[in-house]
Amino acid sequence: MEEKKLTDSYKRIIDYVRISIIDGCNLACTYCMPANKKGCQCVTMLSKEQILCLGQAFAHCGIKKIKLTGGEPLLHKDIVSIVKDLKAIKGIEEVTLTTNGILLEKKVSLLKEAGITAINISLDTLQEEEYKKITGQYGVQIVKKSIEACVSHHIPVKINCVPMKEYNQLSCIELVELMKQYPIDIRFIEMMPIGYGKCFTPVKQQEIEDRIRERYGEYSSYSGKKGNGPATYIQLKNHTFLGKIGFISAVSHEFCDSCNRVRVTSDGILKLCLCFEKGIDLKPYMEKGREKELETVIEEAILEKPKHHNFNTTDSTLTHESKHMWEIGG
């Protein structure tokens, strides 16, 4: 039997979905969430039943990889069983999650048992005071313990860093030092002009590459496949490093022609592109007995996926996203 593939109108294969299972967070990163939202103030959350309904439908449509996001997904009371049950769905090959790492250490062993494939940890600096300015609280040492716990349980880890000229443009390079201690990858993600991100100045990829070369010497491009996303990787020629350095530069190095993903927000809206406000409400179909309808809605929606984002221009027939990152799942 031929394997089912989910394709959009531009013949791109869509095999990856990011599901924001909760919009609440225990941090208040300046580029993501206002300070008055700090304290796990959840507005919307998908139930375990809704998430599994989505997982089944996406799998039947041809999706193979699911990433659980938030807010902070580890705040969801059912996170471990959600991972386990999603991983058990026929056709789903990978279940990963992205987290700020604050709650991770105590859940690592349970997530490992549940079958988690890999974990992305957001960490923008190794300087505690700077970390507090960005997130609203101290936490570098807590996150490092979570990294160590993942490594000890043989869970692949990627560190996600968002460099900003206003905060961490000088210190973000220090994250590379973690690759001397742990077999992890460090990824530098270009700030997108969404929500509070519009208030900050991104540090461009070339500038980071220049600083890496100045501090660590020459490097070469890495052509191997790492993960499900669009990151491009380099590897330092100094062999004391145990991982690779990645770049996700959606604005300055557009990769829309190879986009393989869609997103579902914590209030059940299917988003076809982060740039645009348009979405399709899946909530009415996340009910027993409406599974086939849900699959049909997803397949029809995918055909409306835009050819590319329009972050670099306001000339568009689609309205740009007005919500904040914590509301749409990043």
Side-chain angles (χ1 to χ4, degrees), residues 13-17 63 65 228-229 258-262 305:
I13 296 175
I14 311 302
D15 62 359
Y16 174 33
V17 62
I63 292 289
K65 305 152 191 172
N228 306 316
S258 61
C259 185
N260 67 335
R261 69 189 60 190
V262 291
K305 185 173 172 64

Side-chain angles (χ1 to χ4, degrees), residues 157-171:
V157 171
K158 294 185 180 73
I159 302 299
N160 290 340
C161 170
V162 180
M164 300 165 281
K165 289 190 181 294
E166 291 80 3
Y167 284 105
N168 60 340
Q169 67 165 327
L170 298 178
S171 64

Side-chain angles (χ1 to χ4, degrees), residues 87-152:
K87 192 71 180 295
I89 294 174
K90 184 178 180 180
I92 298 300
E93 298 173 356
E94 300 179 16
V95 177
T96 62
L97 66 82
T98 183
T99 171
N100 59 40
I102 297 296
L103 304 174
L104 180 57
E105 183 187 9
K106 294 180 180 179
K107 296 181 182 291
V108 166
S109 61
L110 294 175
L111 289 168
K112 175 70 174 182
E113 291 176 11
I116 196 76
T117 306
I119 295 177
N120 292 356
I121 301 175
S122 298
L123 181 62
D124 294 320
T125 179
L126 292 176
Q127 304 296 321
E128 281 285 13
E129 291 299 330
E130 197 169 58
Y131 184 91
K132 184 180 181 182
K133 288 179 181 178
I134 295 172
T135 69
Q137 69 180 60
Y138 295 113
V140 171
Q141 297 308 313
I142 296 172
V143 177
K144 287 182 73 174
K145 288 181 179 179
S146 292
I147 294 171
E148 292 170 356
C150 287
V151 171
S152 68

Side-chain angles (χ1 to χ4, degrees), residues 170-189:
L170 298 178
S171 64
C172 66
I173 302 300
E174 295 175 2
L175 288 163
V176 174
E177 290 292 309
L178 291 174
M179 297 195 310
K180 290 182 177 179
Q181 297 175 260
Y182 313 112
I184 61 177
D185 297 322
I186 308 296
R187 306 195 303 180
F188 296 101
I189 301 177

